[in-house]
Amino acid sequence: MSNNKQSSVEWYIIERHNIEIQSRLGEISPIEYDAKLIKIEEKAKAMHKEEMVDFGNDLLAQNDTNYIGLPNLAEQYYNETFGGNNEQ
């Protein structure tokens, strides 16, 4: 079951690299660099949370037919474990 979807980590690496190039070429100022970096860090964190919650939901759904009644269990676990209360 291959999905070939780009992970949040892969996305972050590419975006960070692009910002580094823009900075080195003088296409963006240091202030713009910092702002863009913060923006991609926040997005990568949100993407990672979504990946983890989806993974947990998929895993629970495959192993427990009663899981349908507990759709927020994976997200609750993520929030308790990683303090993911700053949703996007």
Side-chain angles (χ1 to χ4, degrees), residues 32-80:
E32 291 171 311
Y33 171 85
D34 290 342
K36 285 185 174 206
L37 190 57
I38 290 168
K39 185 176 178 181
I40 67 164
E41 287 171 354
E42 290 172 355
K43 183 172 180 179
K45 287 178 186 178
M47 291 170 67
H48 180 68
K49 177 181 178 178
E50 184 177 339
E51 289 169 346
M52 297 301 292
V53 168
D54 288 347
F55 171 78
N57 286 335
D58 290 346
L59 185 62
L60 288 168
Q62 289 177 15
N63 292 308
D64 186 357
T65 56
N66 296 321
Y67 174 69
I68 294 169
L70 304 167
N72 296 324
L73 188 60
E75 185 166 8
Q76 289 172 2
Y77 175 79
Y78 181 93
N79 289 338
E80 289 171 7

